């Protein structure tokens, strides 16, 4: 099996072996993945099962053959961490030297002479 799905398969196996379906009800892990017992699994196990299925489908999807499956990232929200910014740069008005404006400041006006000899006002 390619290495792109091994991590999520191992995480699914760990989740299943520690679930109530296997530990308390004494079902086989393969039985817990089928519809009657699938609803009793924790949400995390159900998400891992879906992700594992998508990973396996991605291995034969011709659109992903050259790029490969996207790497599996552990959700920071599940671990209690706040997610980071989705864009580069500092947070808005985080004290990085940007001063707030009221909108009533004087505009800086420059006069520029164009190539054709006309004067233009640049703000």
């Amino acid at each position: 099996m390619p290495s792109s799905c091994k991590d999520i398969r191992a995480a699914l196996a760990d989740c299943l072996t520690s679930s109530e379906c296997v530990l308390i009800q004494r079902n086989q892990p393969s039985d817990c993945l089928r519809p009657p017992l699938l609803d009793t699994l924790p949400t995390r196990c159900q998400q891992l099962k879906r992700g594992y299925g998508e990973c396996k489908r991605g291995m034969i999807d011709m659109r992903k053959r050259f790029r490969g499956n996207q790497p599996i990232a552990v959700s920071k929200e599940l671990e209690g961490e706040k997610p980071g910014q989705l864009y580069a740069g500092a947070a808005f008005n985080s004290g990085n030297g940007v001063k707030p404006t009221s909108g009533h400041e004087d505009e800086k006006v420059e006069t520029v002479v164009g190539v054709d000899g006309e004067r233009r006002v640049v703000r």
Side-chain angles (χ1 to χ4, degrees):
M1 176 186 326
S3 63
S4 64
C5 296
K6 284 184 180 179
D7 294 336
I8 195 166
R9 183 175 189 256
L12 177 61
D14 289 341
C15 187
L16 283 173
T17 55
S18 63
S19 70
E20 185 177 305
C21 182
V22 173
L23 291 177
I24 296 175
Q25 298 172 3
R26 299 287 185 195
N27 294 312
Q28 293 290 324
S30 59
D31 294 335
C32 293
L33 291 174
R34 294 194 178 91
L37 297 174
L38 180 63
D39 297 333
T40 63
L41 286 176
T43 306
R44 183 170 186 270
C45 292
Q46 292 177 5
Q47 291 171 345
L48 286 170
K49 179 186 181 296
R50 182 175 180 188
Y52 182 64
E54 289 175 2
C55 182
K56 295 293 279 184
R57 272 191 298 281
M59 289 177 12
I60 59 172
D61 187 3
M62 291 309 245
R63 293 172 289 179
K64 296 181 182 179
R65 292 288 292 215
F66 292 110
R67 288 180 281 152
N69 282 324
Q70 297 296 321
I72 304 300
V74 178
S75 176
K76 293 180 180 179
E77 294 167 350
L78 290 176
E79 296 176 358
E81 295 180 22
K82 291 179 71 176
Q85 292 178 326
L86 298 178
Y87 60 91
F92 177 73
N93 204 6
S94 63
N96 58 357
V98 178
K99 64 178 185 174
T101 61
S102 65
H104 299 292
E105 288 79 17
D106 294 330
E107 291 185 15
K108 184 177 181 182
V109 178
E110 293 182 29
T111 305
V112 178
V113 178
V115 178
D116 55 358
E118 289 188 31
R119 293 181 180 234
R120 294 184 179 90
V121 177
V122 179
R123 296 179 189 209

